[in-house]
Amino acid sequence: MVGGLYIYLNLNQNKTINSICFLHMANNILTMTNLNFELDCKRTHDSLGSLSQLITSLACVTHHERQQLRETFKAVNGEDLISHLQRYEDAFYSPSSSSSSSSSSSSSSSSSSMNCSAISLWMLDTHDRDAVVAREALQQDETNFKALVEIFVGRKSSHVLLISQAYQKMFKRHLDQDIINLDPPHPFQKIIVALAASHKAHQADVNHHISKCDARRLYETGEGSLGTVIEAVVLEILSKRSIPQLKLTFFSYKHIYGHDYTKSIKRGKYGQFGKALKVVVKCICNPAHYYAKILYSSIKGETRDRRVLARTLVSRAEIDIDEIRRVFKEKYGKELADAICEGFPSGDYYRDFLVALATRSK
């Protein structure tokens, strides 16, 4: 394979990188040292064994180590590592590999294509990664609102600012404006715009008095008013409160009225707005349960969705994957890694990478 690239990582027990071999179809041998990295570049044949070692090794390194790896690779080769991975993906891309209902008989070439897509996402800075996920969500035929919700709910305000800046730099567009301009309008759209505004306006500290007042307002404009929600009030609260403050509000709601706010949404006259609101509330109040369900659906659902599975694991691997694994086992009676292995064929390198992410420690 001309221009093909594989990376072999050797990790010691302390997870520091002792050596990395960038395997090229080239004749030169280069050696240099950068921080804790020893790089030996040498000629080798195109082998799937190297790819397998790449996958399991990269899933174990920290964010800081991945950035060091990118910097070192660029110093040696004059090019960004992610560009190499993406070029490999382009060379071997098969349209069937992007199908959300990939069968267990997927070819090794389509698996390799998906590998590099997932690994490239993993190698990005977190704010660049979220910018890419947001752009892909907005460009789909049916906007992936859940991916956008996960970004605006699951990230700190300082991170959301970096995401917006990265989005503008990478795509020459404004993220908030792209969300506002979605056509046709959707109930999720109003909620995401409100959440985006909350990251610009809220106070950092949570306040119990405010949470109780907001809980009462939610009740009075929902089930306390014959179950017909007043959307403007809900959107105002979402736009002016931080995610931790909203979480406290929903807990106060349960404490005051004896049931979750989602239960009030379910039995009220909330329509499509209510369905979207319930997703957001679940993501805010119990992210581990929310993501465990997302993972199960992407593996065992009627339509297996590899991209959702990869996006979720990459996004949560360094945040709360331990808790998600615990909840997954509790809800579905099996280990997350076992479910992934059952859902995808043996010898699928894409599966190996996802299993490695699913079993890593935060």
Side-chain angles (χ1 to χ4, degrees):
M1 175 184 67
V2 178
L5 168 71
Y6 295 104
I7 307 164
Y8 178 75
L9 301 172
N10 289 321
L11 306 178
N12 65 12
Q13 292 181 347
N14 295 322
K15 293 186 178 179
T16 57
I17 300 179
N18 290 330
S19 64
I20 300 103
C21 295
F22 300 109
L23 307 180
H24 292 281
M25 294 302 292
N27 295 320
N28 59 318
I29 299 177
L30 302 174
T31 302
M32 69 174 290
T33 301
N34 180 8
L35 298 176
N36 293 328
F37 293 83
E38 290 181 5
L39 292 88
D40 298 310
C41 301
K42 62 182 182 180
R43 179 179 53 186
T44 190
H45 289 291
D46 183 1
S47 76
L48 291 177
S50 298
L51 179 57
S52 178
Q53 291 166 332
L54 158 68
I55 288 167
T56 55
S57 299
L58 276 183
C60 297
V61 297
T62 66
H63 173 262
H64 178 65
E65 289 168 339
R66 295 196 299 275
Q67 300 320 302
Q68 284 184 305
L69 177 57
R70 285 183 66 186
E71 292 170 5
T72 304
F73 185 89
K74 188 167 185 177
V76 173
N77 298 283
E79 196 165 0
D80 187 69
L81 173 57
I82 292 176
S83 298
H84 274 283
L85 292 171
Q86 290 173 338
R87 222 185 346 266
Y88 176 81
E89 178 183 13
D90 291 341
F92 284 85
Y93 178 73
S94 168
S96 62
S97 69
S98 63
S99 171
S100 61
S101 57
S102 301
S103 67
S104 61
S105 61
S106 298
S107 67
S108 61
S109 63
S110 62
S111 295
S112 298
S113 172
M114 293 297 293
N115 275 330
C116 288
S117 176
I119 294 174
S120 295
L121 203 61
W122 176 242
M123 293 298 295
L124 285 170
D125 282 320
T126 51
H127 49 274
D128 289 338
R129 178 197 305 156
D130 285 339
V132 170
V133 168
R135 185 61 184 157
E136 289 180 352
L138 290 165
Q139 285 187 311
Q140 292 183 18
D141 292 337
E142 292 187 10
T143 303
N144 188 343
F145 288 107
K146 285 187 178 181
L148 296 172
V149 166
E150 290 161 15
I151 290 172
F152 285 103
V153 167
R155 302 296 185 243
K156 295 180 179 179
S157 296
S158 57
H159 189 91
V160 170
L161 176 61
L162 291 173
I163 295 169
S164 298
Q165 292 172 347
Y167 188 94
Q168 184 175 358
K169 182 178 180 180
M170 297 168 75
F171 307 113
K172 313 302 179 187
R173 308 175 65 89
H174 295 279
L175 177 57
D176 53 354
Q177 203 60 46
D178 280 352
I179 295 171
I180 292 171
N181 291 338
L182 284 172
D183 188 37
H186 191 281
F188 262 122
Q189 183 181 7
K190 301 176 185 178
I191 295 173
I192 293 170
V193 169
L195 291 172
S198 77
H199 285 284
K200 302 175 183 177
H202 72 76
Q203 296 179 350
D205 297 331
V206 296
N207 185 294
H208 286 270
H209 175 70
I210 291 176
S211 74
K212 293 174 183 177
C213 291
D214 285 346
R216 291 189 179 95
R217 290 186 71 197
L218 289 174
Y219 178 83
E220 291 166 359
T221 60
E223 59 184 313
S225 61
L226 302 179
T228 304
V229 68
I230 302 175
E231 290 184 13
V233 174
V234 176
L235 293 173
E236 179 191 349
I237 291 173
L238 292 177
S239 67
K240 292 183 177 180
R241 307 290 186 242
S242 68
I243 299 302
Q245 183 67 51
L246 289 171
K247 187 172 185 176
L248 185 59
T249 294
F250 297 133
F251 285 160
S252 294
Y253 191 100
K254 183 175 183 178
H255 178 74
I256 296 171
Y257 300 108
H259 57 265
D260 291 330
Y261 182 54
T262 52
K263 188 173 182 179
S264 128
I265 296 172
K266 185 176 180 179
R267 65 191 185 191
K269 299 176 183 177
Y270 286 59
Q272 291 300 313
F273 179 82
K275 291 181 180 179
L277 182 59
K278 189 162 70 169
V279 169
V280 173
V281 174
K282 286 182 176 181
C283 191
I284 291 173
C285 290
N286 204 328
H289 282 261
Y290 170 88
Y291 286 110
K293 185 176 180 179
I294 290 289
L295 288 170
Y296 185 82
S297 297
S298 67
I299 300 167
K300 298 291 187 179
E302 293 181 3
T303 303
R304 288 183 298 164
D305 196 328
R306 290 183 166 205
R307 293 190 181 277
V308 171
L309 179 61
R311 185 193 78 228
T312 304
L313 288 173
V314 167
S315 173
R316 310 308 295 186
E318 295 175 297
I319 299 175
D320 55 359
I321 192 63
D322 293 337
E323 178 66 8
I324 292 170
R325 275 201 307 268
R326 184 192 66 77
V327 172
F328 191 96
K329 175 73 177 293
E330 184 180 89
K331 285 174 66 71
Y332 304 111
K334 64 178 62 182
E335 298 291 347
L336 174 57
D338 292 341
I340 295 172
C341 289
E342 291 174 6
F344 301 101
S346 176
D348 186 330
Y349 298 109
Y350 178 78
R351 185 191 77 169
D352 294 343
F353 179 63
L354 297 184
V355 168
L357 284 181
T359 54
R360 64 172 279 142
S361 295
K362 176 169 74 73

